[in-house]
Amino acid sequence: MENLPHITLAVVAVLVLMSIPMAIAVGLRRAKTGILLLHGEDDHLLRLMRAHGNFVEYVPLALVALAAAEIAGVAPWLVLGCGGALILARLVHYFGLRKAADSMGRLIGAGLTNITLLVLGLAILWQLGVAF
């Protein structure tokens, strides 16, 4: 158990638990509206779908990058900081997009997600000794 990427595993657990209410929110909205496929004309359903969909699109790559950084030997404080930033970013993005397509939360969450990915990518290359 010593060689496991413990920080990444903890972040995975949190993000998995975060995804469940997102999926349930879509299902409940579908049940309420009777829309079984796509989003009909329901803007709220569309925002719920895209908030969950965006989570599912970005989180896997971010978790791979987080695990790669931890396995490569990036400083634990940086891995932990990026994991925390990712959790925060995805929460802010989700609730921002649920509120409105043009919300500040959506913008901040997307920006923080991409900054986290950038930092992780650069940290992995740095740790591997790849010259810039």
Side-chain angles (χ1 to χ4, degrees):
M1 294 258 306
E2 269 185 48
N3 295 333
L4 293 176
H6 288 88
I7 297 168
T8 301
L9 292 172
V11 173
V12 167
V14 171
L15 291 169
V16 165
L17 294 173
M18 284 171 51
S19 74
I20 295 167
M22 293 179 191
I24 290 171
V26 173
L28 290 174
R29 186 67 183 180
R30 287 191 181 289
K32 181 177 181 178
T33 61
I35 300 170
L36 301 179
L37 186 63
L38 300 175
H39 65 83
E41 297 297 321
D42 191 306
D43 187 53
H44 183 65
L45 176 57
L46 177 59
R47 285 194 316 276
L48 288 172
M49 289 170 55
R50 284 310 311 141
H52 181 242
N54 188 276
F55 184 93
V56 171
E57 291 162 6
Y58 277 87
V59 166
L61 179 61
L63 289 173
V64 168
L66 193 68
E70 191 168 2
I71 291 166
V74 169
W77 64 265
L78 184 57
V79 176
L80 184 60
C82 286
L86 179 62
I87 291 168
L88 177 63
R90 300 322 304 167
L91 279 170
V92 170
H93 182 274
Y94 177 76
F95 286 108
L97 185 50
R98 277 188 62 153
K99 181 179 178 184
D102 62 350
S103 74
M104 186 58 71
R106 180 182 183 194
L107 178 66
I108 291 168
L112 186 54
T113 298
N114 284 297
I115 290 168
T116 302
L117 287 168
L118 176 65
V119 168
L120 287 168
L122 292 174
I124 293 164
L125 291 174
W126 180 272
Q127 190 66 28
L128 295 177
V130 175
F132 292 97

